[in-house]
Amino acid sequence: MAQWATIQQYPQATQQIQSIYSSQFPIEVRHFLAQWIEDQPWMNIDLENAQHEGVASTLLEQLVTNLANKVQEFDGDQFFPIRLKLQEATATFKQTYEQNPFQLVRVIKNCLQMEKKLIEQAKAPEQKIDATPMMPSVGAQIELKLEEQVQRTQTSEQTLKHLQSEQESFIIQYQDSLKITAQIQQLQTQPRTPEIVSKETLMQKEKEKVEVQLTQKAQELLQHRIEIAMYYHQTLLGLQELQKQVLDTELIQWKRQQQQAGNGAPLNEGLETLQKWCELLADLIWQNRQQIKKVNLLRAQLPIDLPPGTKNLLPELNDNITGLLSSLVTSTFIVETQPPQVLKKDARFAATVRLLVGGKLNVHMNPPQVKATIISEKQAQDLLKSDVKAKNETSGEILNNVGTMEYQSSSGQLSITFRNMQLKKIKRADRKGTEAVTEEKFCILFQSDFNVGGNELVFQVWTLSLPVVVTVHGNQECNALATILWDNAFSAPGRNPFEVPESVPWPLLAEQLNVKFKAATGRGLTDNNMKYLASKILGQSDDYTSMQVSWAHFNKEALPGRNFTFWEWFYAVLKLTKEHLKAPWNDGSIIGFISKFEAQEWLLTKPNGTFLLRYSDSEMGGITIAWVADNGKLEVWNLAPFTSKDFSIRGLADRIKDLSNLAYLYPDIPKNQAFSKYYVSNPEQPSSAVDGYIKPTLVNVIPVPYGAPMNYDNPQTPQLMSPLSPATTVYDRSPGSVHSTQQNMEEMTADTNHIQLDDFLMGDMDYNYPDDFGQINVNELLTNSHIPTT
């Protein structure tokens, strides 16, 4: 089936097809010459091979002929609009492509390729057709619009050359007219003989003829000047629209993605595509600006008054296109790699700044310097209000903050990476109300100036980094990250620095928490996890979708009955999981976000020895084990939470292995199947003695009353506690909670003399501890530590 017929079968593709075609190649031509167009070898023509230009010219001639024949087929008044459209297309093809038939080939190639993409996308909408961050249709539209502007610029260049040639011809003819006038004047000074009079008469007729021709040519020149000015006006409108799409939509979208990446979202690699578009825009704007200047020069060389009521567009065009170039240059001076958004005083940090059009405008021929300073939120606001003084104000001192941009010829990038900046001083503003230090926002201001076109234009450019929060101590990091997360997630485009909403819908916040957790741990949050988090910050509800979460609820007000905020609790869980529990979290062994009550309900439906892991409600950065034990009746017990400090001594998997009370990971997975791949020690294997000493191994045990150990051959059968049961147990005050006993012999003998191995094994000596420990004999030591037997 023909490609044009195929694409019409898909409504989604049909809706987008209009965006592919333009006045340079109207969709009506594609429709009425569909089969002929698809039968031609467009794809086989090498645009870099001059020998193929003859083939391109032949195809152009055939296209024009076929169009003329098609026009004759539409006879009758009812076909007048179609006939007129095809006639206009015929004239456009002759004018646009006659001097450059390769352009026609390039346009038709692009159109046919984009049609194929639309068909593929319509056939398999679930597949990602384009790997760039831009939607294929958007990227295609921009490419086609750029191609159209390239053609317009080339056409105007040819028209300008023709105009210049006509003007030069006019000037030569005008000089001839002056010579004739001078000759006539010379004849008039001579005696009035019949021969002189006859010669003068002939020359007067020649002069009149030349003057008529000059008048006609002057009118033609004037008309051509008006037409080319209108043409540049249309080109400028097209460039403005295209630049607005590239800068205000695509570049802003990339910056938004960069900001979201600060919260852990992936950043698509779209900057190279953006640079290509911006460089082509810069080239087009510069060429059109030079052409407009040339028209102005021709006009100055041969002034011809405009007809009454006709506006001279050239001065306005020159100003507008210069402003367009200025906007492009200043907008493409960007922070490619952001500085850390939680910036610790005296710590080294890095950032990269890039000029996307630096290579095209030859800025690299005289590489500019860039200076970095730190400014406050108020200073950033003043800067956006065009306050010149704000550029010289700072809120601190940064070392190693000046450098020269470097050009990479292989990639065409003009950029600078500050690798060793260091914030030495910071000046804080007066805080408002209850605002904490970690809520105060700053940013890094990057400034530079450079010229293009041999000092013809001088640009002063600057750009701001994303907001940063300055800390002086590690314990401020948690709350500083809360400020940054809220700003990155909920700031509006084009905001007044650095305003954020006071409250946001819960679903938006939940999505940001999911992104943050996934970036840190490797696996995101489930719907049940989200529901649990919603209940924690908003209380119990059947529907959280329309509920709002305020900044105060998020990280200023403590959770009910706790001395920490929601974010402090969440961040502590995130940090614990990232540092110690990433692997079991990723394989689904940790449920984590579940309430104590719901965990109890789940476990009571399972057999003796079933357990699950959940994050502690009462202790920040803690994870507890809840298990069901059959002590005459099924009861659920909760082990006192483990924290990072515990896991730095002995990992979660080994602790679970120690506890014979735990048999099945919820719902019914044998614990060794779930955790054996994470075991790092085996207390049953003997340790070798070094210098007469044996290194003990830390082992977790649970006291007998809180669940009998399991016989793995028959997990339903309660077993007696092993002889290594602890002599002392520390209990949680809350019901149903118990601390596992874990004592390491090396810790217990700290700051004391060593105990000889023989004395230890004989058990015939007592060991005195500090008063707060009381007196523990060797048997008790052996009970709470595991000494491998040989």
Side-chain angles (χ1 to χ4, degrees), residues 54-260:
V55 179
S57 297
T58 302
L59 287 173
L60 172 60
E61 292 173 6
Q62 293 177 3
L63 175 62
V64 171
T65 301
N66 287 331
L67 273 177
N69 295 335
K70 185 63 68 173
V71 169
Q72 299 303 319
E73 294 178 13
F74 291 104
D75 190 20
D77 294 341
Q78 69 272 28
F79 297 119
F80 175 74
I82 297 175
R83 192 165 60 246
L84 184 61
K85 190 71 178 178
L86 295 180
Q87 287 172 341
E88 289 176 355
T90 304
T92 299
F93 288 161
K94 288 181 179 179
Q95 180 185 1
T96 306
Y97 302 119
E98 206 163 37
Q99 300 299 322
N100 190 357
F102 273 160
Q103 287 295 340
L104 174 67
V105 177
R106 183 179 289 109
V107 169
I108 294 179
K109 270 186 175 184
N110 286 339
C111 291
L112 293 176
Q113 288 169 348
M114 285 312 306
E115 286 180 9
K116 284 184 178 179
K117 281 191 174 184
L118 289 177
I119 292 172
E120 290 172 4
Q121 191 174 14
K123 286 181 177 178
E126 71 281 357
Q127 295 180 3
K128 191 175 183 182
I129 305 301
D130 193 336
T132 66
M134 317 305 171
M135 292 295 292
S137 58
V138 174
Q141 288 179 41
I142 291 174
E143 296 281 354
L144 286 170
K145 288 178 182 178
L146 284 168
E147 185 61 41
E148 182 179 347
Q149 292 304 320
V150 168
Q151 295 169 21
R152 288 189 65 88
T153 302
Q154 291 173 345
T155 300
S156 60
E157 178 69 25
Q158 295 298 321
T159 304
L160 182 56
K161 288 179 179 178
H162 181 66
L163 178 63
Q164 183 178 5
S165 177
E166 284 186 335
Q167 182 165 315
E168 290 170 351
S169 175
F170 177 91
I171 292 173
I172 291 171
Q173 197 166 5
Y174 179 74
Q175 293 296 327
D176 291 342
S177 172
L178 292 178
K179 288 179 183 178
I180 294 173
T181 300
Q183 290 174 357
I184 292 173
Q185 291 174 349
Q186 186 179 7
L187 288 173
Q188 289 174 347
T189 61
Q190 296 180 9
R192 306 297 294 173
T193 63
E195 183 180 356
I196 295 296
V197 172
S198 174
K199 191 174 182 179
E200 181 183 345
T201 302
L202 289 173
M203 295 194 74
Q204 285 287 0
K205 289 181 179 179
E206 180 68 21
K207 178 184 177 183
E208 290 173 0
K209 180 181 177 182
V210 170
E211 285 180 347
V212 169
Q213 291 176 346
L214 286 173
T215 301
Q216 184 179 353
K217 281 193 173 183
Q219 289 299 320
E220 290 176 356
L221 278 174
L222 181 59
Q223 185 60 32
H224 289 162
R225 287 180 181 179
I226 294 172
E227 288 175 355
I228 199 170
M230 290 298 299
Y231 190 88
Y232 283 128
H233 177 67
Q234 292 299 319
T235 299
L236 180 60
L237 292 177
L239 288 171
Q240 286 174 335
E241 178 187 355
L242 186 53
Q243 182 164 304
K244 181 178 176 64
Q245 186 175 9
V246 172
L247 298 183
D248 296 352
T249 302
E250 303 304 320
L251 183 57
I252 292 298
Q253 179 182 338
W254 181 87
K255 289 183 176 180
R256 180 61 181 153
Q257 289 177 350
Q258 186 188 47
Q259 191 174 21
Q260 291 280 359

